[in-house]
Amino acid sequence: MVLLIFIFNYSKNILCDKNRNIYNSTCKTSIDSYKKCYKHVIELVPNENVANGIETYFFLKNQLKTIDKTLNISLYWNQDDRLKPFTNLISSKNQCQILYVGANQAGTDGIEFIKQYQYCHVWFLEPVLQFYDKLIHSDKILRELNTGKHHIYHIGLSNKNHLIDVTLKDIQESEAVTLVGKQDNQQYIDNQQKYKLILRDIAEILFEFNILSKIDNITFNGELNLLHLNCEGCEYDVIERLINTNLTKYIRIIQFGSHRPSTIRSSINQRYCCLQQLLSITHQLQFGIPWAWERWLRYDLINKND
């Protein structure tokens, strides 16, 4: 698996200190590891219009039909990896909080986490009303919500609190809706039927949900066991916000699907490689393919037996 080895080595080559304040760090685009990452992610995209790894796979597969060659999907897409068993997800206190961002219409990943990890409380977050409505009418999810252990909220996450207008066309065109860049296009949808979507600041939500609590202005108590992001591009704003507020060190595992939303595509390679570099200060990459799924484990949990 050449691509996975490359990304793993890239992460390992960053000089890291798990006790370092990440908000004092900036992305260094001049170092070799960044340049290698940038070159690598560009080479993975055969067409500027693809949004993720599965689209890349189908694009290349269609091209190869004419020359009768096969294509290894695992080089571009690793969807099944996101449900692999976690290393040190739960502490010895058997306390566990999972924030699941982008539950979509079925909440599939959250249901799987509930099945696999009995001590975990799962927070389902979904900002699109039509998707949220299906979630709260799902027998599987209602059964879990009725236990009082799990929660569902009609919100998305971002780097600040704001309302986003989306049109019915936005929702109907895809099974997953990207909200990235929507706030910059409000003037174009004034005459269309639109829906208000609520995006909340991840740095505030961690405290509002009592996952973290303040001891003083610089010291916090608690931790989030898993941040699981499948939000069609919000991963950049969310993780960058966590980095800038020095909150990544309070998250045991960060797992996300990386996307290439059209509205930020011109800067997406740089943002992706900077996330790789800065996450490496507090976490180690467990697996990952750009424009697919990746998992990061906090350094103090590596080789630890809770």
Side-chain angles (χ1 to χ4, degrees):
M1 187 63 66
V2 176
L3 299 184
L4 295 182
I5 292 173
F6 174 86
I7 295 297
F8 179 77
N9 286 340
Y10 163 73
S11 174
K12 291 281 284 185
N13 287 336
I14 300 289
L15 292 176
C16 304
D17 177 358
K18 68 182 180 184
N19 296 315
R20 180 180 175 188
N21 284 334
I22 197 169
Y23 54 55
N24 291 330
S25 303
T26 56
C27 181
K28 297 177 175 60
T29 59
S30 61
I31 62 178
D32 287 343
S33 55
Y34 173 87
K35 293 177 181 178
K36 289 178 182 178
C37 174
Y38 195 89
K39 181 176 183 291
H40 181 57
V41 297
I42 289 177
E43 290 174 346
L44 273 181
V45 179
N47 183 290
E48 185 62 22
N49 293 323
V50 300
N52 53 39
I54 192 63
E55 289 186 11
T56 295
Y57 169 74
F58 285 120
F59 178 88
L60 293 175
K61 186 178 180 181
N62 287 333
Q63 286 191 325
L64 290 174
K65 281 181 180 178
T66 59
I67 54 178
D68 195 29
K69 283 190 176 181
T70 59
L71 188 66
N72 184 357
I73 190 172
S74 65
L75 296 177
Y76 305 96
W77 190 242
N78 61 342
Q79 176 175 265
D80 293 341
D81 287 350
R82 76 193 195 283
L83 298 178
K84 285 182 176 179
F86 292 98
T87 300
N88 286 319
L89 172 66
I90 304 173
S91 71
S92 57
K93 298 178 182 178
N94 289 333
Q95 297 175 348
C96 176
Q97 305 282 347
I98 295 176
L99 206 53
Y100 172 24
V101 186
N104 203 270
Q105 303 180 48
T108 303
D109 295 2
I111 295 296
E112 284 300 315
F113 296 148
I114 290 171
K115 288 179 182 177
Q116 294 179 33
Y117 307 103
Q118 61 175 323
Y119 293 110
C120 291
H121 298 253
V122 177
W123 305 75
F124 294 80
L125 306 186
E126 176 51 56
V128 178
L129 178 60
Q130 287 80 351
F131 297 170
Y132 176 80
D133 187 62
K134 290 185 178 181
L135 286 172
I136 61 174
H137 288 93
S138 161
D139 290 340
K140 288 182 180 179
I141 292 179
L142 281 175
R143 187 161 52 247
E144 299 300 340
L145 293 177
N146 286 335
T147 66
K149 187 176 180 179
H150 310 288
H151 317 273
I152 186 167
Y153 283 84
H154 179 209
I155 60 172
L157 294 185
S158 187
N159 56 4
K160 60 183 178 181
N161 298 320
H162 51 155
L163 292 174
I164 299 294
D165 287 335
V166 297
T167 67
L168 185 60
K169 182 181 178 182
D170 290 328
I171 297 168
Q172 291 175 335
E173 281 184 346
S174 175
E175 292 182 358
V177 179
T178 179
L179 305 181
V180 177
K182 294 295 182 185
Q183 62 269 34
D184 300 324
N185 296 311
Q186 299 303 293
Q187 67 271 26
Y188 300 113
I189 65 173
D190 285 342
N191 297 323
Q192 303 180 53
Q193 182 180 2
K194 55 189 176 183
Y195 301 86
K196 292 284 186 184
L197 273 58
I198 302 170
L199 299 185
R200 292 297 315 279
D201 183 348
I202 175 63
E204 293 185 6
I205 285 296
L206 290 175
F207 294 94
E208 287 184 21
F209 287 179
N210 294 316
I211 295 170
L212 300 182
S213 59
K214 286 187 178 182
I215 297 176
D216 54 47
N217 288 335
I218 60 173
T219 309
F220 307 134
N221 186 40
E223 67 177 1
L224 177 63
N225 298 72
L226 170 64
L227 175 62
H228 181 76
L229 298 164
N230 188 20
C231 50
E232 308 303 317
C234 89
E235 60 271 13
Y236 304 102
D237 284 345
V238 169
I239 298 174
E240 287 167 0
R241 175 66 166 157
L242 291 168
I243 289 170
N244 292 334
T245 53
N246 201 29
L247 291 175
T248 53
K249 65 182 180 181
Y250 295 98
I251 304 175
R252 294 173 79 93
I253 299 171
I254 298 173
Q255 179 166 270
F256 62 95
S258 56
H259 302 80
R260 304 181 69 253
S262 59
T263 53
I264 58 171
R265 202 158 286 167
S266 61
S267 63
I268 203 67
N269 297 325
Q270 178 179 355
R271 291 182 75 177
Y272 176 83
C273 289
C274 282
L275 280 191
Q276 298 287 306
Q277 186 181 125
L278 295 175
L279 274 176
S280 295
I281 296 172
T282 53
H283 290 66
Q284 183 182 83
L285 185 67
Q286 301 295 288
F287 63 77
I289 302 175
W291 323 131
W293 282 93
E294 54 194 83
R295 179 182 296 175
W296 295 78
L297 177 67
R298 204 172 62 205
Y299 279 108
D300 61 301
L301 301 174
I302 297 171
N303 299 323
K304 180 179 179 181
N305 294 316
D306 268 333

